[in-house]
Amino acid sequence: MSNFDFDLFVIGAGSGGVRASRVAASHGARVAVAEEHRVGGTCVIRGCVPKKLLVYGAHFAEDLKDARHFGWDVPDCKFDWDRLRDNVLAEVTRLEGLYGQTLDNHQVTLFKTRATIVGPQKVRLADGQEISAERILIATGGWPFVPEFPGSEHAITSNEVFHLDTLPKRVVIAGGGYIANEFAGIFNEFGSKVTIVNRGDTILRGYDEQIRDRLLQISMTKGIEFRFNAPFESIEKKEDGSLTVHLGNCDPIDADIVLVAAGRVPNTKGLGLEDVGLELDKEGAIKVGETNQSSVPSIYAVGDVTNRIQLTPVAIREGQAFADSVFGGKPTVVDYANVPSAVFSHPPIGAVGMTEAEARNKLGTVRVYTSDFRAMKNVLAGRNERALYKMIVNEATDQVVGLHMIGPDAPEILQAAAVAVKAGLTKADFDATVALHPSMAEELVLLK
Ligand code: NDP
């Protein structure tokens, strides 16, 4: 028995923190976790989960229209934001309960309060109580970044967007990344007038150029407006509560809400990290090595607070690897190669591996195969929306090094195909697989 109150004290009960806590506990460690907001963290409470439910809710707008082409008499339907919002928030609360139960089932002690670090092996809770632990894991995640400009306090972020009292008629979204494109799709399907305002001329930096262009083109056809090279200058709040957004290089835009989606910053402020000499990078992220250990040997960090890849499944892997390595006697290092990702836009994007540009830079000669097609369902629905699948192959080895897709269910298809890319399969392996007909995914084995 050690002289510490706990073997492990985890700060933050989000995806990474909960996984690390319960796995460490299952390896026999005495574990405590502190959470100042709600158990579940960004993904469950104000991220992936409620967002995906809104995406489902939004997609009914198209499904109800398309159903008429499939023989259904669909009356004019009205959308009720309050009902969807409340159902989504109730589901979030249910999941929060399940996460709490998981901790409980593994005898993890939960402190529903803020914890800060006061020594390499000591934390202090908000009520002043000090707790010692042989090791500390920081899993405090990230927080939306809001650039400073006059009136920026009138903007909301993804933290607040799930709680809106009413459905806004006019939405301005700052940023051109994941959250901007996902919420542009959601609000547009609900009937709001949506304008994406981007400081540069590129949406979804990091995704394959052709796929990004396809999303831009489809989004514009659906009625989403874009302003490029348009920095935010100010937001003016009028007497009736509505907002006017003043931009550089563009006319002002009136809006009911302004959603800022300009990236997320690591949650390291006020944690006492500087006092114990823990090293941060210039973005404020905790610097860790491949074992998730920080510059202070007893303190580790996983997830968005380390700003490696800001994705839930990556944080979960890091939490698992930490617990298995430190408490389970199974040294594990997370492999960051070929991490699949998706944008739940309308239609969604799925991607794994190198983009065409990256592959050309790194490998020299590559073969690129594309399938540009209209999904069968879209044809009958009279929906002029084309899917695009793209495969990047290393010319020298025939290995598939990248897959990029936009179209219905692209993330669902991509997850399965990512196994093949991760396994290093070749174009010939894809060709040798018989098509599953009729499906959209069969395009992947029919690329010529
Ligand atoms: P992103 O990093 O995806 O996009 C940020 C956008 O904001 C970019 O267009 C960027 O422009 C712009 N931007 C950055 N700084 C400024 C600034 N100072 N002024 C104006 N514009 C700025 O961030 P999001 O907020 O959309 O999402 C945060 C993270 O959350 C993502 O990176 C992702 O890791 C995660 N996430 C994942 C999802 C998923 O997996 N489906 C869904 C939602 C979020 P530029 O391109 O010029 O840098």
Side-chain angles (χ1 to χ4, degrees):
M1 207 60 164
S2 77
N3 293 327
F4 297 97
D5 296 326
F6 291 96
D7 300 318
L8 173 66
F9 195 100
V10 180
I11 306 183
S15 300
V18 168
R19 175 59 68 96
S21 300
R22 82 159 167 80
V23 175
S26 71
H27 288 313
R30 296 169 305 134
V31 183
V33 56
E35 172 56 58
E36 64 177 328
H37 298 296
R38 294 173 68 182
V39 174
T42 300
C43 175
V44 175
I45 306 297
R46 62 192 97 81
C48 330
V49 170
K51 180 277 307 291
K52 185 76 184 277
L53 292 171
L54 290 187
V55 169
Y56 281 130
H59 206 268
F60 278 105
E62 293 186 7
D63 292 339
L64 288 166
K65 272 190 210 136
D66 294 352
R68 296 186 175 123
H69 293 268
F70 287 84
W72 293 92
D73 282 329
V74 181
D76 282 339
C77 295
K78 258 185 61 196
F79 170 65
D80 183 347
W81 163 255
D82 294 13
R83 202 183 326 156
L84 177 61
R85 179 201 57 207
D86 292 349
N87 287 346
V88 168
L89 295 180
E91 174 60 7
V92 165
T93 302
R94 188 185 73 84
L95 292 172
E96 181 188 9
L98 290 180
Y99 269 69
Q101 244 174 44
T102 299
L103 293 174
D104 218 35
N105 292 344
H106 287 83
Q107 279 86 48
V108 174
T109 305
L110 173 64
F111 295 100
K112 292 202 84 176
T113 183
R114 182 169 173 81
T116 51
I117 291 180
V118 288
Q121 292 173 306
K122 193 170 275 185
V123 300
R124 185 183 294 142
L125 305 183
D127 65 2
Q129 187 188 346
E130 291 196 349
I131 296 175
S132 64
E134 190 172 6
R135 292 188 181 84
I136 296 171
L137 177 70
I138 305 172
T140 47
W143 200 249
F145 164 68
V146 180
E148 279 192 22
F149 53 82
S152 61
E153 69 276 12
H154 302 309
I156 62 164
T157 68
S158 54
N159 285 349
E160 294 80 37
V161 73
F162 298 103
H163 298 269
L164 297 177
D165 289 337
T166 51
L167 181 68
K169 290 198 169 64
R170 301 158 303 174
V171 181
V172 169
I173 307 180
Y178 282 87
I179 296 175
N181 284 284
E182 294 183 340
F183 275 93
I186 290 167
F187 283 120
N188 181 59
E189 297 289 323
F190 291 152
S192 306
K193 172 88 212 106
V194 178
T195 310
I196 287 188
V197 175
N198 202 3
R199 66 172 173 183
D201 58 4
T202 305
I203 61 165
L204 292 171
R205 187 194 297 280
Y207 278 87
D208 191 89
E209 197 176 336
Q210 263 179 292
I211 301 288
R212 291 191 256 137
D213 283 351
R214 179 60 54 94
L215 177 64
L216 182 61
Q217 177 215 320
I218 296 176
S219 298
M220 283 164 54
T221 309
K222 287 185 196 286
I224 297 171
E225 289 196 15
F226 288 82
R227 301 279 186 281
F228 288 115
N229 302 311
F232 261 57
E233 286 186 343
S234 63
I235 301 177
E236 178 195 344
K237 186 160 188 170
K238 304 221 249 348
E239 266 176 23
D240 63 359
S242 69
L243 306 168
T244 300
V245 183
H246 297 277
L247 305 166
N249 310 320
C250 278
D251 291 338
I253 312 174
D254 292 327
D256 300 302
I257 65 160
V258 176
L259 171 64
V260 172
R264 295 172 60 83
V265 286
N267 231 340
T268 47
K269 280 212 184 98
L271 280 178
L273 305 182
E274 301 78 3
D275 303 341
V276 290
L278 193 143
E279 275 180 44
L280 304 178
D281 72 10
K282 60 182 181 347
E283 259 108 49
I286 297 176
K287 281 197 199 172
V288 289
E290 62 173 21
T291 59
N292 300 298
Q293 195 169 28
S294 76
S295 57
V296 178
S298 56
I299 303 180
Y300 293 72
V302 295
D304 286 2
V305 77
T306 63
N307 203 12
R308 284 172 283 185
I309 300 183
Q310 289 187 354
L311 294 175
T312 297
V314 173
I316 291 173
R317 291 236 159 186
E318 290 167 355
Q320 177 89 38
F322 158 77
D324 283 342
S325 304
V326 176
F327 297 101
K330 273 190 293 178
T332 313
V333 170
V334 174
D335 175 4
Y336 294 94
N338 290 316
V339 172
S341 66
V343 185
F344 294 96
S345 42
H346 282 79
I349 291 174
V352 66
M354 289 187 241
T355 63
E356 180 180 347
E358 277 167 355
R360 286 196 191 286
N361 276 338
K362 283 194 189 134
L363 305 174
T365 335
V366 296
R367 272 180 279 134
V368 177
Y369 298 87
T370 54
S371 175
D372 189 335
F373 65 100
R374 198 141 71 109
M376 197 188 230
K377 185 167 171 251
N378 281 347
V379 176
L380 198 72
R383 189 170 284 285
N384 191 16
E385 191 179 302
R386 298 183 73 81
L388 179 65
Y389 290 7
K390 193 165 170 183
M391 180 184 279
I392 320 294
V393 177
N394 184 346
E395 174 73 44
T397 60
D398 196 42
Q399 197 176 339
V400 177
V401 293
L403 275 179
H404 310 275
M405 316 167 60
I406 178 168
D409 297 328
E412 304 289 341
I413 299 165
L414 193 277
Q415 173 70 86
V419 178
V421 176
K422 183 78 187 160
L425 299 192
T426 60
K427 174 71 166 68
D429 292 318
F430 275 76
D431 293 346
T433 307
V434 174
L436 195 158
H437 185 71
S439 67
M440 292 176 287
E442 70 179 310
E443 295 298 321
L444 289 176
V445 297
L446 298 173
L447 291 165
K448 290 278 178 299

